[in-house]
Amino acid sequence: MGSKKKSKPSRSRKKAKTSADQALALDYVRAWAQPAPPPASDSDADDFLPAQAARGGGGGEVLFELHSHSNHSDGFLSPSALVERAHRNGVKVLALTDHDTMAGIPEAVSAASRFGMRIIPGVEISARYSPREVATAGENVHILAYYGMCGPSRIDELDIMLLNIRDGRYLRAKSMLAKLNMLKVPIKWEHVSKIAGEGVAPGRLHVARAMVEAGYVENVRQAFNKYIGDDGPAYARGSEPFAETVVQLISRTGGISVLAHPWALKNPVAIIRALKVAGLNGMEVYRSDGKLDGFCELAEKYELLKLGGSDFHGRGGKDESDIGTVKLAITTLSCFLKMARPIWTCAMKDILLKFAEEPSASNLGKLVKFGRVTNFDGYSPTSTVIDAIDVCLSSWLSNDDIEDANLRR
C-alpha cells in the first residue's frame, strides 16, 4: 500500500491567515498611531489633507515617515513646515531625524498637535566604523535613533555626544574650505554659515550648496562627486564616535537603533555584523525608489527590523522623493512598535523616577522637553510630584497604556 501524501495548506487558508495577521497588525498600529484627534477649534487643519485622508480613508494603510530632516540640520524646511507637508501627504506618524541634533523636536511636536499626528523624537547620528577602532581607518556610518514620546532617558549623556559631534562639524567644514581653497575653489566661511543658519552646525550639504551658489559646480551631486565626497580631494573628517559606541548609547538611553542607507557603505556586511553584536535593532532596506538591493536578506540573516524612509530634505528637484513616499507594510510597522514600545516605556519610567527623586525645575524641563503636555495648565509649583507625573501620563498615554505599563500608583 502506498503511503498517503500529507495535504498541503490550501492557498485560500494561507491567504486567510495572512489577512487575519494584517488585520491584527492594523488594529495594533492604528491604536497607537492615532491618539487624540486635533482640537475642534482648529477647523482649518484638514485643509492640508487630501480628501481621502481627511475622511480617514487609505484602506489598510497607516503612513509612517521614519527618515526626515529640517533646517535644524541640513534640511530646507522648518520643523513646522515639514510637519505640514507630511500631513498634506497623508503621513500619520513622523520621525524627525536631523543630523546630530534633536533641537527641532519640540517645534515639530507642537505643529503635529494641530493635525492629530504623532511625532517620533529621532536623530541621525554621525559615526565611524573601524574594524579595529582605529580613527584613521574605516568608513562613515549613520545610525538612526528613535525614541518614545518623552524622548531619551539619560538625556545629558546623549547631549554630550551630539554636542561633541556638532563641534567637530565646525572644524571639519573649515578644513574642507581650506582644502577647496588650495584646489582653486575659494568658498567663504560666512557664505557657508549663512546657508546653514544661525546655531546650526554646518555639514557637507551646506558646503556643497555654497559651491553651487558660487558657480564652481552645477549641482550638489557634482560637488560631492568631484570634491567633498568620502574619497574627494577636499574631504575632511570630523569628531565622529565609533559606530558601536553610538549603538550602545542609543540602547542605554531607551532608543531603537537603525542603520541608515546601508547601500551607501563600502563594506556593509562587516558593519552590519559588528553593529548587531553591539545591539543594533534594525536597518533601512526600503528606499524611496522601492528597491531592496538585497539588504532585505541581510536584515533577515541578522534578525534586524526592516525599515526605511524617504530621507526627505526638501531640496526639491527630480532627484528627491517627497516625504511619505516610502510606504511600509502594516506588519512591518507592527513589528517595529512591538519592539520599540516596551523599550520606550522603560525610558519613560526612568525619566519619571528621576523627577520623583529630584523634582527640580531642571528635571521638570527634561520631563516635558519632547512630550507634549496637553493639560499642564492645572499644574503649579505648589502641586505635588505625583500631580505632575499624573498630568504627564494622562497627556502621553491612554488609560489602557498606563495599565499595560504598570504605571498606576
Side-chain angles (χ1 to χ4, degrees), residues 125-139 141 143 161 165 237 239-249 275 278:
I125 304 178
S126 305
R128 185 80 177 168
Y129 170 76
S130 174
R132 297 177 183 83
E133 294 198 341
V134 178
T136 55
E139 60 179 308
V141 175
I143 312 291
M161 175 181 278
I165 297 172
R237 285 202 57 228
S239 55
E240 297 87 1
F242 290 116
E244 292 91 337
T245 302
V246 171
V247 168
Q248 291 162 358
L249 179 62
L275 295 188

Side-chain angles (χ1 to χ4, degrees), residues 280-300:
L280 186 71
N281 300 118
M283 57 185 281
E284 289 190 315
V285 301
Y286 301 109
R287 309 192 330 179
S288 53
D289 59 9
K291 294 180 181 177
L292 299 181
D293 283 337
F295 289 95
C296 187
E297 289 78 9
L298 272 176
E300 290 173 356

